[in-house]
Amino acid sequence: MSDITALVSKLSGLGFNDTPVEHAPVENVEQWAEALSTVSGLPAEYTLTKTLIFKPKQPKSEAMAPVVVIAKHDSATNSKAIGNELKLKELRFASDDVLTDMFQTAKGSVSPFSLANVPKENVANVRVVVDKALLSDSTGNIAFHPLTSSHTVFISAATLQSFLKSVEGLTHVTEMDFTADAGTAAVAKTEKKPSAAAAAAAASDEVAGVSKGGIDVSKDVDFPRWYQQVLTRSDMLEYYDVSGCYIVRPLAYFVWQQIQEFFDAGIRSLGVKNCYFPMFVSSKVLEREKDHIEGFAPEVAWVTRAGSTELAEPIAIRPTSETVMYPYFAKWIRSHRDLPLKINQWCSVVRWEFKNPQPFLRTREFLWQEGHCAYLTEEEAMVEVYDVLTLYRRIYEEMLAVPVIEGVKSDKEKFAGGVATTTVEGFIAATGRGIQGATSHYLGQNFSKMFNIVVQDPEDSGADRPKLHVHQTSWGLSTRTIGVMVMTHGDDQGLVMPPRVAETQVIIVPCGLTAKHSEEDRRVVSDACLNVEARLRAVGVRAESDLREHYTPGQKFNHWEVRGVPIRVEIGPKDLEKHSVMTARRDTFVRAPVALEGLESSIQLLLMTIQNDMLAKARKTFDDRVKIVLQWNEFVPVLNSKCLALIPWCEREVCEDQIKTRSSRDSLGDEPEDEKAPSMGAKSLCLPSKQPTNPPIVHGETKCIQCGENAKRYALFGRSY
């Protein structure tokens, strides 16, 4: 039953004779209450509800037994308690496929009436749990969505019970007292009209089947789920039907475009030119550099067939392009006059083998840039390595407002086949883990010897001038930048976008209009919004007006909060009387009036302030969580407190392996390490360019805290992604 008319007809036979109420589409209970408050002719009292659909853990051989929970909106529907009552294990919210295939509904429109859509062969497996508080409801008006979130019907408890009895084949209906399991569950208070995000945090349930505009899990409580929700509910990313691959939606792609524009201008100033090489590489070429391919071998994806024909030789899809490009470097570089050769390409690469994909951080295909250059001398090459590293640092700090630490990778962690790898390392405070931001490599002459990229020595004037192998560099930055930005700044309300990379920097929302205001009043406010938008756009501010009808200001606030728009401008009749607007910062939620006169400069200054404040806040958090550790017995406790450790270190690879093993064992005790989780053992992140001086490393005296050998430098260690 997917038609409202058919549903109303069915309900009329059960004692329901009213017409469904139409209102703006809603995404959660708070928006529902707000939408109903704008509709006239409603019952004086009514009870809002929530309908949840769970899927228990079951053997694959068993038919699926979904659980439908029908409850008051503020009842503490604890999934563990429900599972215990029904003797089912590990209830989890049902996926979109279950909602669509079995209940013929979608998030935002789930209600008890979806039970009428369940195929007859599946109804007997469905378990229904009804909140006893609903059955004893005194208002006589229980609100449900009649198959769509843009309508509401009000029925009595008796009509609800009659409907459940009318579902042919439905035999498992249980009444449950949720007050006994309420504990400290928060009660949603719709009369106060809180922000949707705050209300979602107060209501502890993630409502399956109710498509929430806000984020309903705390960043500090369940970080992986929070990250997933922020990316999908902000419209940054969409999941794809090939595991480990994702659709980068316009909001996120705009960030990548801003990074591209900044970095492209930077490398052009260094004389680098863009090009493009094919994504395919023959196995013969790929395997020429043994050390290099061994580092990537588990991740290489191979094309083995074209149509129904097996290829004579498998073709790899590039995991990186050193071996793709360098045969042509040998062709193009014939003389020292052809140097330096500096090229970059923007492309995607594929790295296939891993068990636990994470959007933007660890994906099978990702966007990046990769630069490849050749020089006559090591000195020239190293200048470029650090010039590019500086650009990477500036992308993170100046554009994304994310602080990083510059340094050099250990021999164990350096790029396979390279001589040295420089890096910028970030930090995710919520998990206490480091994350590699971007790398710039000095490849030395390793690849030029392998691919015979040589020139004659320009300093030798003899007839048989010796040939010199060129010195090479490579460097890369990927869409991982977006994930790091989201993890660093996002909060329990959603994204918090740095102004420099926000697709919309200012959202303008008409406010303060009620049923008492005339159409002329509404037109004046709308015109004022459009005028402010035009003024801001004229000075380069990316501004939009949200003039959508049938959406309340609260719904619009929530929509743009989740998407992290840096500034909200509210304009209403009273603001216009005062010749001002009201601004609200997304990063701090601070609201302040701003005069219409000189508005452009005020908004531009506020955007700069937000950008700087976001970096300062993130930098303080980072700095506070990097601890100097001088004794091994302090090392693991520092990691367990979600910090990184700067330790005196000998820089030996065997010691690095021992640090990872010991720190993992000390953390886990006798428990096995979860292979799918980021490493529990600490690894070296980098040898920071800026070394601590209190206390300094005294050569020959300062000892490595793990093995007792002489320490060479401080190294940054931590758990990492």
Side-chain angles (χ1 to χ4, degrees), residues 287-593:
E287 293 167 359
R288 283 181 66 178
E289 216 300 324
K290 184 178 179 181
D291 290 340
H292 176 70
I293 190 55
E294 281 184 355
F296 287 105
E299 302 174 344
V300 176
W302 294 91
V303 179
T304 60
R305 189 169 63 185
S308 59
T309 305
E310 295 291 330
L311 298 183
E313 178 186 355
I315 297 174
I317 300 175
R318 62 177 168 229
T320 181
S321 295
E322 280 77 6
T323 57
V324 178
M325 293 182 174
Y326 296 165
Y328 297 92
F329 274 39
K331 181 178 181 180
W332 298 339
I333 298 172
R334 293 298 188 183
S335 161
H336 70 275
R337 298 179 184 85
D338 297 322
L339 297 174
L341 176 62
K342 306 180 185 183
I343 60 174
N344 174 72
Q345 72 170 347
W346 297 90
C347 62
S348 68
V349 292
V350 173
R351 297 180 184 176
W352 199 261
E353 178 61 33
F354 54 83
K355 298 179 181 178
N356 189 34
Q358 292 178 288
F360 291 122
L361 302 187
R362 190 168 174 78
T363 62
R364 284 181 168 162
E365 181 190 17
F366 56 88
L367 299 174
W368 79 340
Q369 59 72 214
E370 52 177 322
H372 297 268
C373 302
Y375 291 89
L376 184 63
T377 67
E378 176 182 349
E379 291 75 20
E380 292 175 290
M382 288 304 298
V383 168
E384 183 214 71
V385 165
Y386 282 101
D387 283 345
V388 170
L389 193 71
T390 296
L391 288 175
Y392 288 154
R393 176 187 59 75
R394 291 183 61 196
I395 285 171
Y396 275 100
E397 296 189 346
E398 296 178 20
M399 301 199 70
L400 304 178
V402 172
V404 291
I405 290 177
E406 293 184 61
V408 180
K409 288 287 188 182
S410 68
D411 285 344
K412 178 181 175 64
E413 294 294 328
K414 72 182 180 182
F415 182 67
V419 174
T421 292
T422 65
T423 182
V424 289
E425 297 289 324
F427 176 68
I428 308 303
T431 59
R433 297 185 184 276
I435 186 163
Q436 179 178 291
T439 49
S440 181
H441 315 289
Y442 171 57
L443 304 179
Q445 296 172 308
N446 291 348
F447 285 92
S448 63
K449 289 177 180 178
M450 182 61 59
F451 291 94
N452 196 34
I453 309 172
V454 296
V455 297
Q456 289 184 321
D457 186 352
E459 300 297 323
D460 192 314
S461 58
D464 297 321
R465 287 187 291 172
K467 291 185 177 181
L468 303 177
H469 289 93
V470 301
H471 295 260
Q472 292 178 261
T473 66
S474 69
W475 23 272
L477 175 88
S478 77
T479 41
R480 169 176 282 204
T481 48
I482 301 172
V484 175
M485 177 197 72
V486 171
M487 289 179 162
T488 299
H489 300 304
D491 60 21
D492 288 352
Q493 285 71 42
L495 289 176
V496 181
M497 294 293 294
R500 286 196 66 176
V501 295
E503 184 174 33
T504 302
Q505 295 173 313
V506 177
I507 186 65
I508 305 160
V509 180
C511 298
L513 294 167
T514 67
K516 297 179 181 179
H517 287 91
S518 66
E519 285 302 315
E520 177 62 19
D521 294 331
R522 296 175 186 277
R523 186 191 62 76
V524 169
V525 171
S526 294
D527 288 349
C529 291
L530 293 172
N531 178 259
V532 167
E533 177 187 338
R535 288 173 59 184
L536 293 176
R537 283 178 173 270
V539 295
V541 174
R542 297 187 288 273
E544 293 183 32
S545 297
D546 188 344
L547 303 181
R548 291 176 295 170
E549 297 180 355
H550 307 302
Y551 286 86
T552 65
Q555 290 173 314
K556 295 177 182 180
F557 291 176
N558 176 68
H559 177 89
W560 297 107
E561 279 179 9
V562 172
R563 288 156 182 77
V565 174
I567 298 175
R568 182 177 71 241
V569 171
E570 304 166 16
I571 302 178
K574 291 184 179 180
D575 298 302
L576 296 179
E577 289 175 6
K578 299 174 185 177
H579 303 287
S580 67
V581 299
M582 182 63 69
T583 62
R585 290 175 55 162
R586 175 61 183 86
D587 62 321
T588 63
F589 294 102
V590 171
R591 300 174 77 244

Side-chain angles (χ1 to χ4, degrees), residues 597-649:
E597 184 177 353
L599 177 69
E600 295 90 339
S601 58
S602 297
I603 293 295
Q604 288 175 315
L605 179 60
L606 184 55
L607 289 169
M608 291 174 56
T609 300
I610 292 171
Q611 183 83 26
N612 294 336
D613 286 355
M614 288 178 66
L615 176 60
K617 178 183 177 182
R619 190 185 300 282
K620 184 179 187 307
T621 299
F622 196 173
D623 291 347
D624 290 346
R625 302 277 279 276
V626 176
K627 307 293 185 182
I628 294 179
V629 176
L630 303 176
Q631 302 292 333
W632 177 260
N633 61 8
E634 299 173 358
F635 185 72
V636 173
V638 163
L639 300 182
N640 291 343
S641 64
K642 294 186 177 181
C643 294
L644 304 181
L646 273 170
I647 66 169
W649 187 42

